[in-house]
Amino acid sequence: MLFRKDSTLRERATVALASLQRNACAMGTLRSRIESRADFILKSQGHSDEYQELARVLELVKNGELILSELSGKMEAARFLEEFVLIINGAAESVSAIKGDVEHLVPLAESALAEMHDAISKISGGLYTPDPGPAQIDMQNSILAEATAAAVAQAPPVLHEQRAAVEPKAADASIEAKAEAELA
């Protein structure tokens, strides 16, 4: 019996291909033996009936060897095709898993962004909205100016010197004036 009942398709194909290759090799060995015998008969007896029979058998063996070689090649190509299908199937499963992960992560990211938006709104006292009006923009600008003035007033003298070298004097005067107004 060539196959076990519990063997997989791949195992059966491997066994069948190995058997086919062994038979093709055996057919090649038989062809070599027949050719050598036919040459011996041809040299010793000429074109006798025995030689004619061996020539017909040799032709059958050559055709059988050709058929077995072609079948072996086709089975090997089928195995390569099977491996290709397995690789593509594995890649498709990976893409499917990634797609599932992305589908799971998108709602989580949207939720996190909404939570960040809510937190920013709470921190700024409800002043932050996605489309602020002119009054809200003015209020936000004034808050930023106050924060900048406070930071300037709290900054060590070294930072004032560095900033003075970088910024124009007019900007320094307006910021310092605001800072002094805040302190007064």
Side-chain angles (χ1 to χ4, degrees):
M1 183 173 212
L2 188 60
F3 303 115
R4 298 184 330 250
K5 288 186 179 183
D6 62 343
S7 63
T8 65
L9 179 64
R10 181 178 216 136
E11 290 170 341
R12 290 193 312 250
T14 302
V15 169
L17 181 61
S19 174
L20 191 61
Q21 288 171 338
R22 278 193 309 274
N23 289 333
C25 184
M27 192 70 79
T29 304
L30 178 62
R31 178 187 45 79
S32 295
R33 287 179 37 219
I34 292 173
E35 284 174 344
S36 105
R37 179 70 180 153
D39 284 345
F40 176 75
I41 289 173
L42 184 63
K43 288 179 183 174
S44 65
Q45 298 174 4
H47 285 284
S48 65
D49 288 339
E50 186 179 1
Y51 174 78
Q52 296 298 327
E53 275 184 46
L54 279 178
R56 284 191 295 257
V57 170
L58 181 60
E59 189 64 31
L60 289 172
V61 169
K62 284 181 180 179
N63 289 338
E65 185 179 20
L66 179 66
I67 290 169
L68 288 176
S69 294
E70 286 183 18
L71 283 175
S72 175
K74 287 180 181 180
M75 284 185 69
E76 193 168 17
R79 284 183 52 200
F80 289 140
L81 183 61
E82 178 188 16
E83 286 182 39
F84 171 76
V85 168
L86 287 173
I87 291 168
I88 292 296
N89 189 32
E93 288 174 2
S94 296
V95 167
S96 177
I98 290 170
K99 181 182 173 193
D101 289 346
V102 167
E103 288 174 352
H104 178 73
L105 289 175
V106 166
L108 292 175
E110 288 174 348
S111 174
L113 286 173
E115 287 178 17
M116 287 172 55
H117 175 72
D118 291 343
I120 290 170
S121 294
K122 288 177 184 174
I123 289 172
S124 63
L127 296 176
Y128 177 78
T129 58
D131 296 322
Q136 290 175 332
I137 291 174
D138 290 339
M139 188 177 288
Q140 288 174 357
N141 287 338
S142 68
I143 291 172
L144 286 174
E146 289 175 14
T148 305
V152 168
Q154 298 286 329
V158 174
L159 289 178
H160 288 295
E161 292 170 8
Q162 289 174 349
R163 204 171 124 233
V166 176
E167 294 181 359
K169 295 289 182 187
D172 283 342
S174 67
I175 292 174
E176 288 177 11
K178 286 182 183 179
E180 289 175 10
E182 287 291 320
L183 292 175

